[in-house]
Amino acid sequence: MAPDLDFLVELKGKLFAWRYHRVALHGVPIALVLGGVIAGAAALSPARVAGLPLLAAVSLLAVLSHLVLDAVTSFGTSLLFPLSEQRFSTRTHFIFDPVVLATLLSGLALQRPALALAACGAYGVLCWLIREAVTGSVERSLAAAGIDVTGLSLEPRPFAPLRWLAVASAGDQYLLANWSPLGIGPWSATQSGRGSSAEAAARRHPLLLAFLATCDFPRFESRQLPGGAGLVVEDAKWWVEPPLRPLAFHALLDADGVPREVRQGRMFARGPVGPPEEPPMRRLEPMPAR
């Protein structure tokens, strides 16, 4: 769990949390140093039970396993930090995967860690294969409907791999649809707000910039909020179950259109993030799975 110590940057504020969590101690170069420090501390312990080479190997593999488990989630991980802040992700698991957690805990409880790791590895491969198959199905559905998209991603939802959220970029809007073994649900369209005054305002605030660095499908919306004119900034891939809103930032604007107060919405809050009522998403005709 050592790499997650970078969450302590949140003590300095939300800006540092979004800028450095899953970044500062999650790069492979730094993780190798971190594993070495842990091994050195273990070697100096009076309770030392193994030689330094074995302690180093175990510590390094343990720290790297944390990075691997984070990199399979849809949030991604900056594996090359400090050389690069690019996030890597297989997009095969939601941020919290109860199957992986239960498997690993069972392996510890039953003293079968190798079996648990093998099962998690097989499950990860299965999720990736299913994601590839679902992606192909969604692409064929879009092509059959004559919809041109510039980007498409399958985002795992809770209890994937049987539930996915398809997010496609089409001009100035996003198309979203749920996939399950029963097929692809109806597609809905929502404006992305890219290139708008709302996006320009969002990019004038450091906290929103740090959040946007993690976004794959950023969405900007001007909104009248309690206290005055404002804007909403979010990532369409976190629309777990609209109107369930897992993550959104809303900001009040000053007279010059600069965000003066930015607040992070509650995780998994239902309904709009502020008045007026949430503009209804335009529902498209259902597309059959192929």
Side-chain angles (χ1 to χ4, degrees), residues 163-186:
R163 303 172 69 244
W164 303 85
L165 175 67
V167 187
S169 298
D172 62 349
Q173 64 183 1
Y174 295 127
L175 307 178
L176 301 98
N178 297 315
W179 183 95
S180 74
L182 299 178
I184 301 174

Side-chain angles (χ1 to χ4, degrees), residues 7-170:
F7 87 92
L8 292 175
V9 297
E10 188 170 357
L11 295 176
K12 297 195 65 174
K14 287 289 186 181
L15 171 60
F16 293 89
W18 281 100
R19 178 72 175 78
Y20 293 111
H21 180 45
R22 279 213 186 183
V23 176
L25 297 180
H26 282 65
V28 172
I30 293 180
L32 294 176
V33 175
L34 184 61
V37 171
I38 295 172
L44 296 175
S45 169
R48 172 179 171 177
V49 295
L52 182 59
L54 180 57
L55 289 174
V58 170
S59 298
L60 293 176
L61 287 174
V63 172
L64 291 176
S65 72
H66 181 117
L67 273 56
V68 170
L69 290 171
D70 274 354
V72 303
T73 67
S74 50
F75 191 74
T77 307
S78 299
L79 294 177
L80 298 181
F81 187 81
L83 305 177
S84 170
E85 294 186 17
Q86 178 182 354
R87 289 177 177 266
F88 295 86
S89 171
T90 63
R91 300 179 185 274
T92 53
H93 301 266
F94 197 64
I95 290 181
F96 171 77
D97 191 313
V99 174
V100 172
L101 180 61
T103 302
L104 293 177
L105 291 178
S106 298
L108 290 175
L110 300 175
Q111 297 185 13
R112 294 292 183 89
L115 180 60
L117 289 173
C120 284
Y123 173 67
V125 172
L126 174 64
C127 291
W128 180 80
L129 291 174
I130 292 177
R131 184 181 187 277
E132 291 298 303
V134 173
T135 300
S137 173
V138 173
E139 289 175 341
R140 290 190 293 272
S141 294
L142 290 170
I147 300 177
D148 294 325
V149 298
T150 56
L152 173 66
S153 179
L154 264 290
E155 299 296 333
R157 305 182 67 177
F159 299 101
L162 299 179
R163 303 172 69 244
W164 303 85
L165 175 67
V167 187
S169 298

Side-chain angles (χ1 to χ4, degrees), residues 184-274:
I184 301 174
W187 288 84
S188 299
T190 183
Q191 296 296 315
S192 68
R194 289 175 296 181
S196 65
S197 58
E199 178 183 5
R203 296 190 178 279
R204 299 174 71 178
H205 193 278
L207 174 56
L208 295 179
L209 271 179
F211 170 63
L212 289 173
T214 71
C215 291
D216 295 299
F217 297 92
R219 182 176 180 271
F220 309 89
E221 179 187 335
S222 297
R223 178 82 63 83
Q224 190 68 26
L225 298 173
L231 61 90
V232 175
V233 183
E234 58 190 343
D235 191 344
K237 74 181 179 184
W238 298 124
W239 282 30
V240 180
E241 194 80 60
L244 195 66
R245 306 294 289 272
L247 179 62
F249 281 82
H250 36 115
L252 293 175
L253 305 178
D254 61 20
D256 296 325
V258 178
R260 59 180 170 84
E261 181 182 341
V262 178
R263 292 175 295 168
Q264 180 177 330
R266 290 176 300 158
M267 294 293 286
F268 302 108
R270 281 197 173 275
V273 294

